Amino acid sequence: MAPNLSLRNVVPSLCLLLVLIGRGQRAWAHDYVDALSKAILFFEGQRSGFLPEDQRLKWRAHSGLSDGWTYNVDLTGGYYDAGDNVKFGFPMAFTTTMLSWSVVEFGEMMPPEELRNARVAIRWATDYLLKTVSQPNRIFVQVGDPISDHNCWERPEDMDTSRAVYAVDAPNPASDVAGETAAALAASSMVFLSSDPGYSETLLRNAVKAFQLADNYRGAYSDNSDVKGGVCPFYCDFDGYQDELLWGAAWLRRATKDDNFLNYIQSNGKTLGAEDNINEFGWDNKHAGLNVLVSKEVVEGNVYSLESYKASAESFLCTLIPETAASSHIEYSPGGLIYRPGGSNLQHATSIAFLELVYANYLSRTSQDINCGNVYVSAQTLRQQAKKQVDYILGDNPMRLSYMIGYGNNYPQRIHHRGSSLPSVKDHPQVIACKEGSTYFNSTGPNPNVLVGAVVGGPGQDDVYVDDRADFRKSEPTTYINAPFVGVLAYFAANPNP
């Protein structure tokens, strides 16, 4: 028998639906499991090296197979950082740290298949990072000349630009890249501890070696004239190397429980500026992430000698809550997106949402709140704040646009990405030379290859996004936008309504 759908019952529901749509809110739930799967799949589109038979993005093929030959060393593998064909070590190491932290903190919430895929994505990076620290007192920090690369628009499979290798030899310093590499290898050692203990031990041993290199020869890698021309202005160390020393030590403490690293964090906090720039977190500035990471020992383990890190972490988190007095330090777009100037804005939204969820876990496990002066902030509040950023990215925004490629029915079609925008070698086996790719770059048509799961740089402060391949600040995806998003989506896949 048909249900009794009286006009009295239908009209209020219809009005509510129209009100929700009018306010820019969705009237349906997001599929966070699907988004998680796609966020991890994205990394297969960024692979460099010899691709395996189970490669799922079939429009990609082998590339960079001679990387390292100028040093007579194998530097194949790893990831291209964004829409170009260069392997920048600094952001790749940070990407690896954040992918690993995603699994360490939220891996148990992932569907088993996606946990496996996440481990594969991490190992693709760590296998490469191990190669970068394989020689004594040397770290390889980059492969590929970005000037010649950026002067061409060509598929990675066709690369004929310079694959210059950039290395830093002691006593020249590279504390930033070596410190971040130590963090990445230490964090990933925890990921593989149960599934592959031998590999885990190798990662941890090399993490210690990378940290010793970072600490023994202190300084920024981009101050070295031998590499500065290749890494700057793209991934210069703009914010100093000191945070990476603390970050690397913090991850080694987490992975080893060794009191020597605890003592390092305690005794060097002041001298290395742990309380500086505490409201920033990304590939260059680790402070907010460092403070959240270290706070675990205070909140859950009562290690009060690290109280200053907890105070800095909570000070930062208080700025994210609009009801607090400290919220004037953070900017939001009219549509509710966290905004920081400089381009690729969604890197801030994904990394900050990640930190909110990690700290919320600490609070939940200990039944605590954060005292933000005029209000107390709960784990639930942090999770709700994080969810707003996630939902904005997935389509709940004034543009009604999903900023994750391949998620939903409406997403950018002309992203700034060489491999995606040029015909696949499967469809066009002939070489497309350096300048021949310009035709595809300038095309107004959609990219022929869908880089599933890629999160683009995103809209500006006004929530406006124009689907323009040339506007790389908005239309280019990066590995370090996606890496923390994997952890965030893992949480909401298991807890869609916090």
Side-chain angles (χ1 to χ4, degrees), residues 28 48 63-64 68 92 98-99 122 140 222 238 311-312 323 335 354 395-396 410 414 465:
W28 56 88
S48 180
S63 63
M92 195 195 307
M98 295 309 297
L99 270 176
I122 293 166
F140 295 101
S222 51
F238 297 102
S312 293
E323 294 78 18
F354 180 90
D396 295 1
N410 188 26
R414 288 166 282 278
Y465 183 91

Side-chain angles (χ1 to χ4, degrees), residues 9 16 57 60 64 89 118 139 157 210 286 308 338 352 372 429 442:
N9 292 332
L16 176 60
L57 291 181
R60 280 297 323 281
I139 182 168
E157 295 83 2
K286 310 304 178 330
S308 64
I338 287 175
I352 287 173
C372 290
N442 294 319

Side-chain angles (χ1 to χ4, degrees), residues 335-349:
L337 178 68
I338 287 175
Y339 177 77
R340 296 282 171 88
S344 296
N345 186 60
L346 292 186
Q347 66 180 303
H348 306 298

Side-chain angles (χ1 to χ4, degrees), residues 392-449:
Y392 184 107
I393 292 170
L394 296 181
D396 295 1
N397 56 66
M399 299 291 294
R400 307 288 196 275
L401 190 66
S402 164
Y403 292 110
M404 174 182 280
I405 307 305
Y407 177 86
N409 297 318
N410 188 26
Y411 51 83
Q413 301 293 311
R414 288 166 282 278
I415 67 172
H416 184 97
H417 190 276
R418 286 160 175 77
S420 172
S421 67
L422 290 154
S424 165
V425 291
K426 307 285 196 307
D427 299 327
H428 190 293
Q430 299 82 13
V431 169
I432 301 174
C434 172
K435 294 302 182 183
E436 292 176 359
S438 300
T439 301
Y440 301 95
F441 176 78
N442 294 319
S443 166
T444 57
N447 288 10
N449 307 308

Side-chain angles (χ1 to χ4, degrees), residues 328-343:
S328 60
H329 296 293
I330 198 87
E331 269 190 273
Y332 287 90
S333 73
L337 178 68
I338 287 175
Y339 177 77
R340 296 282 171 88

Side-chain angles (χ1 to χ4, degrees), residues 11 39 44 69 72 86 91 159 217-218 311 332 353 379 385 417 492-493:
V11 170
E44 296 192 20
W69 72 270
N72 197 30
V86 181
M159 275 189 296
Y217 306 100
R218 292 188 180 187
Y332 287 90
Q385 287 295 117
H417 190 276
F492 287 114

Side-chain angles (χ1 to χ4, degrees), residues 85-415:
N85 302 323
V86 181
K87 296 191 297 201
F88 293 98
F90 199 11
M92 195 195 307
F94 176 68
T95 293
T96 310
T97 306
M98 295 309 297
L99 270 176
S100 299
W101 198 0
S102 292
V103 171
V104 168
E105 192 68 40
F106 303 107
E108 292 183 355
M109 299 179 182
M110 294 181 181
E113 180 67 12
E114 297 313 327
L115 178 58
R116 187 196 73 83
N117 290 333
R119 286 195 181 114
V120 169
I122 293 166
R123 185 156 187 161
W124 195 270
T126 52
D127 282 351
Y128 173 80
L129 292 178
L130 287 172
K131 297 175 183 179
T132 69
V133 293
S134 61
Q135 298 183 356
N137 290 320
R138 169 181 285 171
I139 182 168
F140 295 101
V141 298
Q142 185 170 311
V143 178
D145 171 22
I147 304 302
S148 62
D149 180 271
H150 292 175
N151 193 43
C152 294
W153 195 259
E154 59 184 354
R155 302 174 296 200
E157 295 83 2
D158 289 336
M159 275 189 296
D160 53 6
T161 53
S162 168
R163 299 304 289 169
V165 173
Y166 298 83
V168 177
D169 294 319
N172 295 309
S175 299
D176 30 32
V177 184
E180 184 62 65
T181 300
L185 296 176
S188 58
S189 76
M190 299 177 67
V191 171
F192 295 101
L193 186 59
S194 59
S195 62
D196 192 339
Y199 188 62
S200 174
E201 194 278 328
T202 297
L203 292 169
L204 192 56
R205 184 177 67 254
N206 281 275
V208 173
K209 184 171 72 172
F211 181 75
Q212 289 170 342
L213 181 64
D215 195 40
N216 289 341
Y217 306 100
R218 292 188 180 187
Y221 85 126
S222 51
D223 289 343
N224 185 330
S225 60
D226 291 338
V227 302
K228 186 172 185 177
V231 304
C232 296
F234 313 102
Y235 293 103
C236 272
D237 186 342
F238 297 102
D239 286 314
Y241 63 87
Q242 294 88 343
D243 51 331
E244 277 82 27
L245 289 175
L246 292 168
W247 178 241
W251 272 110
L252 281 162
R253 163 64 179 175
R254 179 82 177 264
T256 65
K257 306 293 191 294
D258 189 329
D259 285 345
N260 288 318
F261 294 113
L262 174 62
N263 294 335
Y264 186 99
I265 301 164
Q266 291 170 337
S267 59
N268 287 284
K270 292 287 186 186
T271 57
L272 293 178
E275 297 178 22
D276 299 341
N277 302 315
I278 62 170
N279 295 335
E280 298 289 335
F281 186 51
W283 63 263
D284 187 24
N285 189 322
K286 310 304 178 330
H287 283 99
L290 165 70
N291 292 326
V292 168
L293 175 66
V294 174
S295 293
K296 178 180 175 68
E297 292 215 58
V298 187
V299 180
E300 297 185 7
N302 300 320
V303 182
Y304 295 116
S305 59
L306 300 173
E307 178 66 36
S308 64
Y309 290 92
K310 174 177 177 286
S312 293
E314 295 191 347
S315 175
F316 162 67
L317 292 166
C318 286
T319 68
L320 305 174
I321 309 302
E323 294 78 18
T324 68
S327 64
S328 60
H329 296 293
I330 198 87
E331 269 190 273
Y332 287 90
S333 73
L337 178 68
I338 287 175
Y339 177 77
R340 296 282 171 88
S344 296
N345 186 60
L346 292 186
Q347 66 180 303
H348 306 298
T350 60
S351 61
I352 287 173
F354 180 90
L355 296 182
E356 288 177 316
L357 293 178
V358 170
Y359 211 87
N361 278 358
Y362 301 166
L363 297 178
S364 288
R365 288 193 286 259
T366 57
S367 301
Q368 296 184 48
D369 293 332
I370 300 174
N371 182 354
C372 290
N374 58 323
V375 296
Y376 281 85
V377 173
S378 66
Q380 183 181 8
T381 299
L382 291 177
R383 288 165 177 156
Q384 289 169 341
Q385 287 295 117
K387 190 171 186 292
K388 290 176 184 177
Q389 300 304 303
V390 176
D391 291 347
Y392 184 107
I393 292 170
L394 296 181
D396 295 1
N397 56 66
M399 299 291 294
R400 307 288 196 275
L401 190 66
S402 164
Y403 292 110
M404 174 182 280
I405 307 305
Y407 177 86
N409 297 318
N410 188 26
Y411 51 83
Q413 301 293 311
R414 288 166 282 278
I415 67 172

